[in-house]
Coordinates of all heavy atoms in Angstrom, one line a residue:
M1 N 112.4 17.2 116.1 CA 111.9 16.1 116.9 C 110.5 15.8 116.4 O 109.7 16.7 116.1 CB 111.8 16.5 118.3 CG 111.1 15.6 119.3 SD 111.1 16.1 121.0 CE 112.6 15.2 121.5
D2 N 110.2 14.5 116.2 CA 108.8 14.1 115.8 C 108.0 14.0 117.0 O 108.2 13.1 117.9 CB 108.9 12.7 115.1 CG 107.6 12.2 114.6 OD1 106.6 12.9 114.7 OD2 107.5 11.0 114.2
L3 N 107.0 14.9 117.1 CA 106.1 14.9 118.3 C 104.9 13.9 118.1 O 104.1 13.8 119.0 CB 105.5 16.3 118.5 CG 106.6 17.4 118.7 CD1 105.9 18.7 119.0 CD2 107.5 17.0 119.9
K4 N 104.9 13.2 117.0 CA 103.9 12.1 116.8 C 102.5 12.7 117.0 O 101.6 12.1 117.6 CB 104.1 11.0 117.7 CG 105.4 10.3 117.6 CD 105.6 9.2 118.7 CE 107.1 8.8 118.7 NZ 107.3 7.8 119.8
N5 N 102.3 13.9 116.4 CA 101.0 14.6 116.6 C 100.6 14.8 118.0 O 99.4 14.8 118.3 CB 99.9 13.9 115.8 CG 100.1 14.0 114.3 OD1 100.5 15.1 113.8 ND2 99.8 13.0 113.6
G6 N 101.6 15.0 118.9 CA 101.3 15.2 120.3 C 101.2 13.9 121.1 O 101.0 13.9 122.3
A7 N 101.3 12.7 120.4 CA 101.2 11.5 121.1 C 102.6 11.0 121.7 O 102.7 10.0 122.4 CB 100.7 10.4 120.2
I8 N 103.6 11.8 121.5 CA 104.9 11.5 122.1 C 104.8 11.7 123.7 O 104.0 12.5 124.1 CB 106.0 12.5 121.6 CG1 107.4 12.0 122.0 CG2 105.7 13.9 122.0 CD1 108.5 12.8 121.4
T9 N 105.4 10.8 124.4 CA 105.3 10.9 125.9 C 106.3 12.0 126.4 O 107.3 12.3 125.8 CB 105.6 9.6 126.6 OG1 107.0 9.3 126.3 CG2 104.7 8.5 126.1
V10 N 106.0 12.5 127.6 CA 106.8 13.4 128.2 C 108.2 12.8 128.5 O 109.2 13.5 128.3 CB 106.2 14.0 129.5 CG1 107.1 14.8 130.3 CG2 104.9 14.8 129.2
G11 N 108.2 11.5 128.8 CA 109.5 10.8 129.0 C 110.3 10.9 127.8 O 111.6 11.1 127.9
E12 N 109.7 10.7 126.6 CA 110.5 10.7 125.4 C 111.0 12.1 125.1 O 112.2 12.3 124.7 CB 109.6 10.3 124.2 CG 109.3 8.8 124.2 CD 108.3 8.5 123.1 OE1 107.1 8.9 123.2 OE2 108.6 7.7 122.2
V13 N 110.2 13.1 125.4 CA 110.7 14.5 125.2 C 111.8 14.8 126.2 O 112.8 15.4 125.8 CB 109.5 15.5 125.4 CG1 110.0 16.9 125.4 CG2 108.4 15.3 124.4
L14 N 111.7 14.4 127.4 CA 112.7 14.7 128.4 C 114.0 14.0 128.2 O 115.1 14.4 128.7 CB 112.2 14.3 129.8 CG 111.1 15.2 130.4 CD1 110.6 14.7 131.7 CD2 111.6 16.6 130.5
A15 N 114.0 12.9 127.4 CA 115.2 12.2 127.0 C 116.1 13.0 126.1 O 117.3 12.7 126.0 CB 114.9 10.8 126.4
H16 N 115.6 14.0 125.5 CA 116.4 14.8 124.6 C 116.8 16.1 125.4 O 115.9 16.9 125.8 CB 115.5 15.2 123.4 CG 116.2 15.9 122.3 ND1 116.7 17.2 122.5 CD2 116.6 15.5 121.1 CE1 117.4 17.6 121.4 NE2 117.3 16.6 120.5
P17 N 118.1 16.3 125.5 CA 118.6 17.4 126.4 C 118.0 18.8 125.9 O 117.7 19.6 126.7 CB 120.1 17.4 126.2 CG 120.4 16.0 125.8 CD 119.2 15.5 125.0
G18 N 118.0 19.0 124.6 CA 117.5 20.3 124.1 C 116.0 20.5 124.4 O 115.6 21.6 124.8
A19 N 115.3 19.4 124.3 CA 113.8 19.5 124.6 C 113.6 19.7 126.1 O 112.7 20.4 126.4 CB 113.1 18.2 124.1
R20 N 114.4 19.1 126.9 CA 114.3 19.3 128.3 C 114.5 20.7 128.7 O 113.7 21.3 129.5 CB 115.4 18.4 129.0 CG 115.2 18.3 130.5 CD 116.2 17.4 131.2 NE 116.6 16.2 130.3 CZ 117.8 15.9 130.0 NH1 118.8 16.7 130.4 NH2 118.1 14.9 129.3
D21 N 115.4 21.4 128.0 CA 115.7 22.8 128.3 C 114.5 23.7 127.8 O 114.1 24.6 128.5 CB 116.9 23.3 127.6 CG 118.2 22.7 128.2 OD1 118.1 22.2 129.3 OD2 119.2 22.7 127.5
I22 N 113.9 23.3 126.7 CA 112.7 24.0 126.2 C 111.5 23.9 127.2 O 110.9 24.9 127.5 CB 112.3 23.6 124.8 CG1 113.4 24.0 123.8 CG2 111.0 24.1 124.4 CD1 113.3 23.4 122.4
L23 N 111.3 22.7 127.6 CA 110.2 22.4 128.6 C 110.4 23.2 129.9 O 109.5 23.8 130.4 CB 110.0 21.0 128.9 CG 109.4 20.1 127.8 CD1 109.3 18.7 128.2 CD2 108.0 20.7 127.4
R24 N 111.7 23.2 130.3 CA 112.0 24.0 131.5 C 111.7 25.5 131.4 O 111.2 26.1 132.3 CB 113.5 23.8 131.9 CG 113.8 24.4 133.2 CD 115.2 24.0 133.7 NE 115.2 22.7 134.2 CZ 115.9 21.6 133.8 NH1 116.7 21.8 132.8 NH2 115.7 20.5 134.4
A25 N 112.0 26.0 130.2 CA 111.7 27.4 129.9 C 110.2 27.7 129.9 O 109.8 28.8 130.4 CB 112.3 27.8 128.6
Y26 N 109.4 26.8 129.4 CA 107.9 27.0 129.3 C 107.2 26.7 130.6 O 106.2 27.3 131.0 CB 107.3 26.2 128.2 CG 107.5 26.8 126.9 CD1 108.7 26.7 126.1 CD2 106.5 27.6 126.3 CE1 108.8 27.3 124.9 CE2 106.6 28.2 125.1 CZ 107.8 28.0 124.4 OH 107.9 28.6 123.1
F27 N 107.7 25.7 131.4 CA 107.1 25.2 132.6 C 108.2 25.2 133.7 O 108.4 24.1 134.3 CB 106.5 23.8 132.4 CG 105.5 23.8 131.3 CD1 105.8 23.2 130.1 CD2 104.2 24.3 131.5 CE1 104.8 23.1 129.1 CE2 103.3 24.2 130.5 CZ 103.6 23.6 129.3
P28 N 108.7 26.3 134.1 CA 109.8 26.3 135.1 C 109.3 25.7 136.5 O 110.1 25.0 137.1 CB 110.2 27.8 135.3 CG 109.0 28.5 134.7 CD 108.4 27.7 133.7
Q29 N 108.1 25.9 136.9 CA 107.6 25.4 138.1 C 107.5 23.9 138.1 O 107.7 23.3 139.2 CB 106.3 26.1 138.5 CG 105.1 25.7 137.6 CD 105.0 26.4 136.3 OE1 105.9 27.2 135.9 NE2 103.9 26.2 135.6
A30 N 107.2 23.3 137.0 CA 107.0 21.9 136.9 C 108.4 21.2 136.7 O 108.6 20.0 137.1 CB 106.1 21.5 135.7
A31 N 109.3 21.9 136.1 CA 110.6 21.3 135.8 C 111.4 20.9 137.1 O 112.2 19.9 137.0 CB 111.5 22.2 135.0
D32 N 111.1 21.5 138.2 CA 111.8 21.2 139.4 C 111.0 20.3 140.4 O 111.4 20.1 141.5 CB 112.2 22.5 140.1 CG 113.2 23.3 139.3 OD1 114.1 22.7 138.6 OD2 113.1 24.5 139.3
N33 N 109.8 19.9 139.9 CA 109.0 19.1 140.7 C 109.1 17.6 140.4 O 108.5 17.1 139.4 CB 107.5 19.5 140.5 CG 106.5 18.9 141.5 OD1 106.7 17.7 141.8 ND2 105.5 19.6 141.9
A34 N 109.9 16.9 141.1 CA 110.3 15.5 140.8 C 109.0 14.6 140.8 O 108.9 13.7 139.9 CB 111.3 14.9 141.7
L35 N 108.1 14.8 141.7 CA 106.9 14.0 141.8 C 106.0 14.2 140.5 O 105.6 13.3 139.9 CB 106.1 14.4 143.0 CG 104.8 13.7 143.2 CD1 105.0 12.2 143.4 CD2 104.0 14.3 144.4
L36 N 105.8 15.5 140.2 CA 105.1 15.8 139.0 C 105.7 15.2 137.7 O 105.0 14.6 136.9 CB 104.9 17.3 138.8 CG 104.0 17.8 137.7 CD1 102.6 17.2 137.8 CD2 104.0 19.3 137.7
L37 N 107.0 15.4 137.6 CA 107.7 14.9 136.4 C 107.6 13.3 136.4 O 107.4 12.8 135.3 CB 109.2 15.3 136.4 CG 109.4 16.7 136.0 CD1 110.9 17.1 136.1 CD2 108.9 17.0 134.6
G38 N 107.8 12.7 137.5 CA 107.7 11.2 137.5 C 106.3 10.8 137.1 O 106.2 9.8 136.3
M39 N 105.3 11.4 137.5 CA 103.9 11.1 137.1 C 103.7 11.4 135.6 O 103.0 10.6 134.9 CB 102.9 11.9 138.0 CG 101.5 11.6 137.7 SD 100.4 12.5 138.8 CE 100.7 14.2 138.3
A40 N 104.2 12.5 135.1 CA 103.9 12.9 133.8 C 104.7 12.2 132.7 O 104.4 12.3 131.5 CB 104.1 14.4 133.7
R41 N 105.8 11.5 133.1 CA 106.6 10.8 132.1 C 105.9 9.9 131.1 O 106.2 9.8 130.0 CB 107.8 10.0 132.8 CG 108.9 10.9 133.3 CD 110.0 10.1 133.8 NE 111.1 10.9 134.3 CZ 111.9 11.6 133.6 NH1 111.9 11.4 132.3 NH2 112.8 12.4 134.1
S42 N 104.9 9.3 131.6 CA 104.1 8.3 130.8 C 103.0 9.0 130.0 O 102.3 8.4 129.2 CB 103.6 7.2 131.6 OG 102.6 7.6 132.5
W43 N 102.7 10.3 130.4 CA 101.6 11.0 129.7 C 102.1 11.5 128.4 O 103.2 11.8 128.1 CB 101.2 12.2 130.5 CG 100.5 11.9 131.8 CD1 100.3 10.7 132.4 CD2 100.0 12.9 132.8 NE1 99.7 10.9 133.6 CE2 99.5 12.2 133.8 CE3 100.0 14.3 132.7 CZ2 98.9 12.9 134.9 CZ3 99.4 14.9 133.8 CH2 98.8 14.2 134.9
T44 N 101.1 11.7 127.5 CA 101.4 12.3 126.2 C 101.6 13.8 126.3 O 101.1 14.4 127.3 CB 100.4 12.0 125.1 OG1 99.2 12.6 125.5 CG2 100.1 10.5 125.0
L45 N 102.3 14.3 125.3 CA 102.4 15.8 125.3 C 101.0 16.5 125.3 O 100.8 17.4 125.9 CB 103.3 16.2 124.1 CG 103.6 17.7 124.0 CD1 104.3 18.3 125.2 CD2 104.3 18.0 122.7
N46 N 100.1 15.9 124.4 CA 98.8 16.4 124.3 C 98.1 16.5 125.7 O 97.4 17.4 126.1 CB 97.9 15.6 123.4 CG 98.3 16.0 121.9 OD1 98.9 17.0 121.6 ND2 97.9 15.1 121.0
R47 N 98.2 15.4 126.5 CA 97.6 15.3 127.8 C 98.1 16.4 128.7 O 97.4 17.1 129.4 CB 97.8 13.9 128.4 CG 97.1 13.8 129.7 CD 97.2 12.4 130.3 NE 96.6 12.4 131.6 CZ 96.6 11.3 132.4 NH1 97.1 10.2 132.0 NH2 96.0 11.4 133.5
V48 N 99.4 16.5 128.7 CA 100.1 17.5 129.6 C 99.6 18.9 129.2 O 99.3 19.7 130.1 CB 101.6 17.4 129.5 CG1 102.2 18.6 130.2 CG2 102.1 16.1 130.2
L49 N 99.5 19.2 127.9 CA 99.1 20.5 127.5 C 97.6 20.8 127.8 O 97.3 21.9 128.1 CB 99.4 20.7 126.0 CG 100.9 20.7 125.7 CD1 101.1 20.8 124.2 CD2 101.6 21.9 126.4
R50 N 96.8 19.7 127.7 CA 95.4 19.9 128.2 C 95.3 20.2 129.6 O 94.5 21.0 130.1 CB 94.6 18.6 127.8 CG 94.1 18.6 126.4 CD 93.0 17.5 126.3 NE 93.4 16.2 126.8 CZ 94.1 15.3 126.1 NH1 94.4 15.5 124.9 NH2 94.3 14.1 126.7
Q51 N 96.1 19.5 130.4 CA 96.1 19.7 131.9 C 96.6 21.1 132.3 O 96.1 21.6 133.2 CB 97.0 18.6 132.6 CG 96.6 17.2 132.5 CD 95.4 16.9 133.3 OE1 94.9 17.6 134.1 NE2 94.8 15.7 133.0
A52 N 97.5 21.6 131.5 CA 98.0 23.0 131.7 C 97.0 24.0 131.3 O 97.3 25.2 131.5 CB 99.4 23.1 131.0
G53 N 96.0 23.6 130.6 CA 94.9 24.4 130.0 C 94.9 25.9 130.4 O 95.2 26.8 129.6
G54 N 94.5 26.2 131.6 CA 94.3 27.6 132.0 C 95.6 28.3 132.3 O 95.6 29.6 132.4
Q55 N 96.7 27.6 132.4 CA 98.0 28.3 132.7 C 98.8 28.6 131.5 O 99.7 29.4 131.6 CB 98.8 27.4 133.6 CG 98.1 27.1 134.9 CD 98.8 26.1 135.7 OE1 99.8 25.5 135.3 NE2 98.3 25.8 136.9
V56 N 98.5 28.0 130.3 CA 99.3 28.3 129.1 C 98.3 28.6 128.0 O 97.5 27.7 127.7 CB 100.2 27.0 128.8 CG1 101.0 27.3 127.6 CG2 101.0 26.6 129.9
D57 N 98.5 29.7 127.4 CA 97.6 30.1 126.3 C 97.9 29.4 125.0 O 99.0 28.8 124.8 CB 97.5 31.6 126.1 CG 98.8 32.2 125.6 OD1 99.4 31.6 124.8 OD2 99.1 33.4 126.0
G58 N 97.0 29.4 124.1 CA 97.1 28.7 122.8 C 98.4 29.1 122.0 O 99.0 28.3 121.4
E59 N 98.7 30.4 122.0 CA 99.8 30.9 121.3 C 101.1 30.3 121.8 O 102.0 29.9 121.1 CB 99.9 32.4 121.3 CG 101.1 33.0 120.6 CD 101.2 32.6 119.1 OE1 100.2 32.2 118.5 OE2 102.3 32.8 118.6
R60 N 101.2 30.3 123.1 CA 102.4 29.7 123.8 C 102.5 28.2 123.5 O 103.6 27.7 123.3 CB 102.3 30.0 125.3 CG 103.5 29.9 126.0 CD 103.8 31.1 126.8 NE 104.8 30.8 127.8 CZ 106.1 31.0 127.7 NH1 106.6 31.5 126.6 NH2 107.0 30.6 128.6
V61 N 101.4 27.5 123.5 CA 101.4 26.1 123.2 C 102.0 25.9 121.8 O 102.8 25.0 121.5 CB 100.1 25.4 123.3 CG1 100.0 24.1 122.7 CG2 99.7 25.4 124.8
R62 N 101.5 26.7 120.8 CA 101.9 26.6 119.4 C 103.5 26.9 119.4 O 104.2 26.2 118.7 CB 101.2 27.7 118.6 CG 101.5 27.6 117.1 CD 101.0 28.8 116.3 NE 101.6 30.0 116.7 CZ 102.9 30.4 116.4 NH1 103.7 29.6 115.7 NH2 103.3 31.6 116.8
Q63 N 103.9 27.9 120.1 CA 105.4 28.2 120.1 C 106.2 27.0 120.7 O 107.2 26.7 120.1 CB 105.7 29.4 120.9 CG 105.1 30.7 120.3 CD 105.2 31.9 121.2 OE1 105.5 31.8 122.4 NE2 104.9 33.1 120.6
L64 N 105.7 26.4 121.7 CA 106.4 25.3 122.3 C 106.5 24.1 121.3 O 107.5 23.6 121.1 CB 105.6 24.8 123.6 CG 106.0 23.5 124.2 CD1 107.4 23.5 124.7 CD2 105.1 23.1 125.3
R65 N 105.4 23.8 120.7 CA 105.4 22.7 119.7 C 106.4 23.0 118.6 O 107.1 22.1 118.2 CB 104.0 22.5 119.1 CG 103.0 21.9 120.1 CD 101.6 21.8 119.4 NE 100.7 21.2 120.3 CZ 100.4 19.9 120.5 NH1 101.1 19.0 119.9 NH2 99.5 19.6 121.3
E66 N 106.4 24.2 118.1 CA 107.3 24.6 117.0 C 108.8 24.5 117.4 O 109.6 24.0 116.7 CB 107.0 26.0 116.5 CG 105.8 26.2 115.7 CD 105.6 27.6 115.2 OE1 106.4 28.5 115.5 OE2 104.6 27.8 114.5
E67 N 109.1 24.9 118.7 CA 110.4 24.8 119.1 C 110.9 23.3 119.3 O 112.0 22.9 118.9 CB 110.6 25.5 120.5 CG 110.7 27.0 120.4 CD 111.1 27.6 121.7 OE1 112.1 27.2 122.2 OE2 110.4 28.5 122.1
L68 N 110.0 22.5 119.8 CA 110.3 21.1 119.9 C 110.4 20.4 118.6 O 111.3 19.6 118.4 CB 109.2 20.4 120.7 CG 109.2 20.7 122.2 CD1 107.9 20.1 122.9 CD2 110.4 20.3 122.9
E69 N 109.6 20.8 117.6 CA 109.7 20.2 116.3 C 110.9 20.5 115.5 O 111.4 19.8 114.7 CB 108.4 20.6 115.4 CG 107.2 19.9 115.9 CD 105.9 20.4 115.2 OE1 106.0 21.5 114.6 OE2 104.9 19.7 115.3
R70 N 111.5 21.7 115.9 CA 112.8 22.1 115.2 C 114.0 21.3 115.7 O 115.0 21.3 115.0 CB 113.0 23.6 115.5 CG 112.2 24.5 114.6 CD 112.8 25.9 114.6 NE 112.5 26.5 115.9 CZ 111.5 27.4 116.2 NH1 110.6 27.6 115.3 NH2 111.4 27.9 117.4
L71 N 113.9 20.6 116.8 CA 115.0 19.8 117.3 C 115.3 18.6 116.4 O 114.4 18.0 115.9 CB 114.7 19.3 118.7 CG 114.7 20.5 119.8 CD1 114.3 19.9 121.1 CD2 116.0 21.2 119.9

């Protein structure tokens, strides 16, 4: 999957079933929050990862990006 250097929107990521599963694995609490997902669909992946700042460490972000790029 082309993440467009993180400029891909969450909506675009969620449109891919495999990517949706990966995001659910990394952010299980957000995956079931319809309000949060609705709001974040137009956000870029970079913005979401910045917002998650203190909850997700840099290594985990790197792993997430790698998994998404392999799709």
Side-chain angles (χ1 to χ4, degrees):
M1 169 178 269
D2 179 9
L3 300 181
K4 304 175 188 174
N5 290 322
I8 191 170
T9 66
V10 171
E12 291 173 293
V13 174
L14 291 173
H16 189 290
R20 193 175 325 124
D21 292 341
I22 291 169
L23 286 178
R24 184 171 283 122
Y26 279 83
F27 302 105
Q29 67 282 7
D32 296 325
N33 186 325
L35 179 64
L36 182 59
L37 284 178
M39 181 178 63
R41 281 187 183 280
S42 64
W43 291 5
T44 65
L45 181 61
N46 284 341
R47 181 177 178 184
V48 168
L49 293 176
R50 274 195 311 273
Q51 295 289 348
Q55 298 173 356
V56 182
D57 67 37
E59 177 61 20
R60 195 126 161 95
V61 168
R62 185 191 64 72
Q63 291 171 351
L64 169 65
R65 288 178 184 274
E66 284 181 2
E67 283 190 53
L68 291 173
E69 287 172 344
R70 280 195 292 262
L71 295 177

